[in-house]
Amino acid sequence: MNVIVDENFWQVFPEAQISILVVKGLNNEVDESKDPYFQKLLNQASKKALDYLPDDSFTQNEVIQEWRQAFTKFKTKKGARSSIEAMLKRVSQGREFRPINPLVDLYNSISLSYALPCGGEDLNTIQGDLHLGKAKGGEAFFPLGAEEDSPALPEEIIYYDQAGVVYRNLNWREAQRTMLTEETKDAILVIEAINSAQKERALQAAQALQELIQDYFGVTGQVTHLSVNQPTLTV
């Protein structure tokens, strides 16, 4: 399988970096005895996230502004915001993050700690190659809990495979068919950055995530940072 960032993505975000972490041979089952570990990890990450919210006006904080400006550069579903904005909004409201499953908890803690959009998918549910690029329009998309298709809009930036959309609006919302579950054995995790400051944080974030996965699962993942000069990866 290949991960391919299409040319039309780089035309919109030429300075972007998509960090990919591939991990295989996992046991992602929920063990409730480990909940205190994950709860502590998420609580600590939420405290770190406050460093990215120095302005009392939530929307004026730098991270929020950067991603809102980014979302003006392509077609989006009405009301769509970057996944990191949604997470930082919860932090600003004092809302606690609760454990979901090990892989999701680990990448959520990294997303909060470094104020970057992170996501993860079950590698074995992806059909064909995984692309990041502009939608033609009409690509099938069934988000978690949906009862009907919510297809992509023309020119929307999506992750997609042969079966349809994996993520809409970068990694704003994911498809149910590829989501990480307790049955996930192999996974592909992504960290998105669109400028030099974010790219530097993403290098640190990818290493930190790799170390967390090594410590918890005993599995060493492969990290690759895709850019306009290296837009593809073979998994």
Side-chain angles (χ1 to χ4, degrees):
M1 187 193 99
N2 297 309
V3 181
I4 302 166
V5 183
D6 299 341
E7 175 60 29
N8 55 28
F9 172 84
W10 302 117
Q11 291 171 359
V12 181
F13 296 112
E15 301 301 316
Q17 174 182 282
I18 306 298
S19 299
I20 305 290
L21 174 56
V22 176
V23 286
K24 298 182 178 180
L26 304 169
N27 177 1
N28 198 43
E29 293 179 0
V30 172
D31 179 350
E32 292 184 357
S33 70
K34 302 293 179 62
D35 277 1
Y37 164 76
F38 289 111
Q39 191 62 66
K40 181 179 180 181
L41 196 67
L42 291 166
N43 289 345
Q44 290 174 336
S46 293
K47 290 180 181 179
K48 291 179 182 178
L50 290 171
D51 293 340
Y52 299 96
L53 300 173
D55 198 307
D56 289 338
S57 174
F58 178 77
T59 59
Q60 294 309 305
N61 285 286
E62 184 176 6
V63 171
I64 307 305
Q65 283 295 309
E66 287 174 342
W67 284 102
R68 287 201 175 186
Q69 287 299 313
F71 271 47
T72 66
K73 295 182 178 182
F74 61 93
K75 183 70 173 179
T76 62
K77 182 176 173 65
K78 185 177 181 180
R81 302 291 190 192
S82 170
S83 64
I84 189 57
E85 175 170 338
M87 297 188 76
L88 291 177
K89 186 69 172 179
R90 289 182 63 176
V91 170
S92 72
Q93 295 170 341
R95 296 165 59 196
E96 190 176 55
F97 290 84
R98 301 290 297 169
I100 299 171
N101 67 51
L103 266 179
V104 172
D105 298 338
L106 293 181
Y107 82 64
N108 275 345
S109 75
I110 292 298
S111 183
L112 289 164
S113 296
Y114 293 90
L116 292 167
C118 299
E121 303 304 313
D122 189 314
L123 195 59
N124 295 316
T125 63
I126 295 172
Q127 300 183 31
D129 293 334
L130 178 65
H131 289 257
L132 170 60
K134 286 187 175 181
K136 295 178 180 177
E139 290 90 340
F141 178 70
F142 283 83
L144 179 63
E147 296 181 357
E148 59 183 22
D149 187 20
S150 179
L153 301 171
E155 301 293 302
E156 183 178 343
I157 289 184
I158 60 173
Y159 291 82
Y160 65 98
D161 64 5
Q162 289 179 358
V165 180
V166 173
Y167 277 115
R168 287 189 67 175
N169 297 278
L170 292 167
N171 77 343
W172 164 66
R173 188 161 293 170
E174 69 177 336
Q176 181 171 334
R177 69 180 173 88
T178 59
M179 65 185 288
L180 299 174
T181 70
E182 290 189 67
E183 286 70 45
T184 296
K185 305 300 181 187
D186 306 322
I188 182 166
L189 309 172
V190 301
I191 302 174
E192 298 170 343
I194 52 171
N195 59 38
S196 57
Q198 290 184 11
K199 287 160 70 172
E200 182 61 32
R201 295 206 307 275
L203 296 177
Q204 300 171 24
Q207 180 177 347
L209 181 56
Q210 186 180 37
E211 291 172 356
L212 281 174
I213 289 173
Q214 171 69 46
D215 289 345
Y216 184 80
F217 293 104
V219 173
T220 301
Q222 171 195 351
V223 177
T224 305
H225 303 285
L226 298 182
S227 66
V228 66
N229 295 319
Q230 184 184 351
T232 64
L233 162 69
T234 300
V235 176

